[in-house]
Amino acid sequence: MGKFMYEGGQKVEIEDRALTHVQLVTTAKLRRAEPFPFTWREDVSIGGGRTTVWIHPGSNLVFKYYGSRTPPVNRAWIDALAFTANSPSGLYMVPEPAESTRLEQDLEPASK
């Protein structure tokens, strides 16, 4: 279980595989100087609720991983997370889609 830490204060535990995908989407947006909100649900053990932070190029972000190996990346999950990050509500966790879903859509014949 990794951690996302924001500005030295706010933090949330996120499974390493999911955190890798969040990091990829976050860094892509920041490279393009596109600020966005990131929202997560808090665990009930700390009172529940949700937290939103404003991510911008000057943000102090830390992605801390439990494991030492980079998990495999699912392009469809990156696309799904990027879609949320580009929406008015900003980035939030969505379930991982099957990798084959994206490939099957790309291979479908064009409609006539």
Side-chain angles (χ1 to χ4, degrees), residues 52-86:
T52 301
V53 295
W54 183 248
I55 308 285
H56 57 89
S59 297
N60 181 9
L61 307 176
V62 176
F63 298 88
K64 172 76 172 137
Y65 294 90
Y66 177 76
S68 60
R69 294 187 178 161
T70 303
V73 173
N74 177 343
R75 181 67 196 179
W77 201 4
I78 289 174
D79 290 345
L81 290 168
F83 181 81
T84 69
N86 291 325

Side-chain angles (χ1 to χ4, degrees), residues 15-66:
E15 189 271 325
D16 279 3
R17 182 166 165 76
L19 186 59
T20 296
H21 289 76
V22 167
Q23 181 180 354
L24 291 169
V25 169
T26 299
T27 56
K29 288 198 60 74
L30 292 177
R31 275 194 303 274
R32 294 187 302 265
E34 297 174 356
F36 62 98
F38 176 31
T39 301
W40 62 84
R41 291 185 182 168
E42 297 289 357
D43 192 75
V44 293
S45 66
I46 59 169
R50 61 185 166 85
T51 298
T52 301
V53 295
W54 183 248
I55 308 285
H56 57 89
S59 297
N60 181 9
L61 307 176
V62 176
F63 298 88
K64 172 76 172 137
Y65 294 90
Y66 177 76

Side-chain angles (χ1 to χ4, degrees), residues 90-105:
L91 177 62
Y92 57 90
M93 293 305 301
V94 295
E96 180 175 8
E99 289 183 78
S100 61
T101 303
R102 173 72 181 194
L103 294 173
E104 289 169 4
Q105 290 172 350

